[in-house]
Amino acid sequence: MPTLRSRGGTRSSGRLGLTVCFLLTGTSVAVWSARIPDVQQHVQARPAEFGLALFAGAVGALIAMHLSGRWLVRVSAPVLLKVAVTAVAVTLLGPALVDSVLALSVALFLQGFAHGSMAVAMNTCAVDVERRLARPVMSSFHSAFSVGGLAGALIGAGSTRLGVAPLLLFMAVCSAQLIVLAAVWRSLPSNVGKQRGETDKGIRLDVQRSRETRNRLLLLGSLAIAAMMCEGSVSDWCGIYLRDQLDATPRQAPVAYASYAVAMTVGRLMGDAAATRWGRQRLLRYSAAVAAVGLALAVSAVEPGLGIAGFALFGLGQACVMPQLVSLAGRAEGINAGRAVARVVGLSQVGFLVGPMVMGSVAQSMSLRIAFALTVLLSLLIAVARVPDGSLKGSADHAAGLTGPPGVTE
């Protein structure tokens, strides 16, 4: 039976409020994505102009991720989280309030900046919640984001079918999010515990520039790029692949993404139990291997059903890859957890942006099937990579059996 102290520790960890933040962020992303065509039509942007406006959002996110790592040396992650989650709700309104491509670019830059800050803040807080609870919970947070995304997609699609204007929809969603935030404000993380050996500024000066730390973050960042190149490629191209390569009907093609998204949500719901049983490194390798098998099945498919099954299997495996990479980054020795998370999350977004572009280039010069074959290799690369856990010998996580072999410090 849990003691009063343990129950109090669970209540004060901020897990509930942080889960809500992941959920609301996923909802915002999906609601905006569902109404992109309407916003493009409203500002009368040509495809190239609208592409640049969307790129402004990506630039804003990348800049915010870079700056957030620096900010988190001076301010706590919960403070940045509270500012960012409010900004995510408010900036949803921007794209529906403008009537020119230039203004839309500014609105999307601000929206991307809010989401980039939010990604770093909430993942940094999630690393600390894991440390406080002494058990894996990162996948549950990411599953909340996925559930929010599914809910947002349904809300966006429903509003389109009902003829609700984007501004009215965004105002309703923004208001609802602010109300929910007010309700759970006291449940948000209130402080982040310092790791052993940190200075007041959050950096362990004696190992700040250790080669092991730099190499570890470089490896994690590289794997994050590879993982998100696969994820971005599947998100943007799986439906087209079914249509063009497997002769899927107009009704079958969208099922590829739906099956992938649902399977990813299910995988993340199971991720924490799997991490507790196998440890983070083994779960990372197993997950990437399952993702590679799923992509291989999709690449070798000769009819839409197998392709859909392959993308679903990919989603099931891919579900736990990024949560484990983020968790491992937050445990890097010699660097503030926020800066480590910012680097890995920032690099992952580069992969998410670059992946679909690379797929398009390869598909045009060769074929989309060959392009997806390259993503199989990327998933296999993650599966065979050896990533040190970086946890303190004798720490709570190590005692709980959540780390890899002892001897690697956190």
Side-chain angles (χ1 to χ4, degrees):
M1 176 181 293
T3 63
L4 288 174
R5 181 178 179 181
S6 66
R7 288 199 300 265
T10 300
R11 285 199 302 268
S12 62
S13 68
R15 184 178 181 181
L16 172 62
L18 188 57
T19 300
V20 172
C21 288
F22 273 87
L23 180 74
L24 295 181
T25 304
T27 303
S28 291
V29 171
V31 167
W32 153 246
S33 298
R35 301 308 299 265
I36 282 179
D38 300 295
V39 173
Q40 180 189 19
Q41 186 177 27
H42 175 71
V43 298
Q44 297 181 340
R46 291 174 292 185
E49 295 174 332
F50 195 69
L52 290 175
L54 293 175
F55 184 69
V59 170
L62 291 175
I63 291 176
M65 290 174 185
H66 175 72
L67 294 178
S68 294
R70 297 176 179 270
W71 293 337
L72 289 176
V73 177
R74 298 173 176 82
V75 301
S76 69
V79 170
L80 180 60
L81 175 74
K82 292 174 180 178
V83 174
V85 70
T86 305
V88 165
V90 173
T91 55
L92 180 62
L93 297 173
L97 292 172
V98 300
D99 55 6
S100 70
V101 176
L102 178 60
L104 178 63
S105 299
V106 174
L108 291 180
F109 177 88
L110 295 175
Q111 187 183 83
F113 197 93
H115 279 272
S117 302
M118 184 64 182
V120 174
M122 64 186 183
N123 278 291
T124 302
C125 288
V127 168
D128 187 71
V129 170
E130 277 199 324
R131 184 178 295 110
R132 289 170 180 270
L133 298 179
R135 66 178 188 272
V137 292
M138 184 66 74
S139 289
S140 68
F141 290 129
H142 285 247
S143 70
F145 181 92
S146 297
V147 170
L150 292 175
L154 291 174
I155 293 170
S159 66
T160 301
R161 183 176 294 271
L162 294 173
V164 178
L167 178 58
L168 182 59
L169 171 65
F170 294 166
M171 288 178 63
V173 173
C174 173
S175 300
Q177 289 190 333
L178 293 177
I179 291 172
V180 172
L181 283 175
V184 301
W185 196 259
R186 291 181 178 272
S187 299
L188 294 175
S190 58
N191 57 74
V192 171
K194 287 185 178 180
Q195 301 173 33
R196 193 185 313 181
E198 286 189 344
T199 67
D200 289 338
K201 290 186 177 181
I203 303 177
R204 301 183 200 127
L205 298 179
D206 55 334
V207 290
Q208 180 181 3
R209 293 182 174 87
S210 68
R211 179 177 300 175
E212 294 81 4
T213 298
R214 291 196 301 270
N215 291 343
R216 183 167 183 267
L217 287 179
L218 179 61
L219 174 60
L220 291 172
S222 300
L223 296 180
I225 291 175
M228 294 306 287
M229 284 185 70
C230 295
E231 194 166 320
S233 298
V234 170
S235 296
D236 289 2
W237 287 96
C238 63
I240 299 174
Y241 175 79
L242 249 70
R243 183 195 65 193
D244 293 352
Q245 300 291 318
L246 304 182
D247 298 322
T249 66
R251 288 189 176 184
Q252 288 176 317
V255 177
Y257 178 79
S259 63
Y260 150 74
V262 171
M264 175 170 282
T265 302
V266 172
R268 285 177 171 173
L269 289 171
M270 300 187 300
D272 292 332
T276 301
R277 180 175 181 178
W278 295 322
R280 292 182 177 86
Q281 302 104 316
R282 280 198 290 174
L283 177 58
L284 176 63
R285 294 196 295 270
Y286 295 164
S287 298
V290 171
V293 171
L295 287 172
L297 178 60
V299 169
S300 61
V302 294
E303 56 94 16
L306 285 177
I308 292 171
F311 288 124
L313 187 59
F314 167 76
L316 189 65
Q318 183 71 10
C320 294
V321 173
M322 274 307 300
Q324 302 316 308
L325 290 174
V326 170
S327 184
L328 290 168
R331 309 171 66 78
E333 181 178 339
I335 186 170
N336 173 271
R339 298 192 70 172
V341 169
R343 291 182 186 180
V344 173
V345 172
L347 288 171
S348 74
Q349 293 306 301
V350 173
F352 192 79
L353 295 173
V354 170
M357 292 189 292
V358 172
M359 287 285 289
S361 299
V362 176
Q364 182 170 334
S365 59
M366 299 180 190
S367 74
L368 194 51
R369 193 182 294 270
I370 293 177
F372 267 119
L374 297 179
T375 63
V376 177
L377 298 178
L378 290 176
S379 289
L380 287 175
L381 178 65
I382 300 171
V384 300
R386 186 173 181 82
V387 182
D389 184 271
S391 58
L392 282 167
K393 186 190 293 187
S395 67
D397 273 7
H398 190 275
L402 307 183
T403 69
V408 184
T409 57
E410 173 176 319

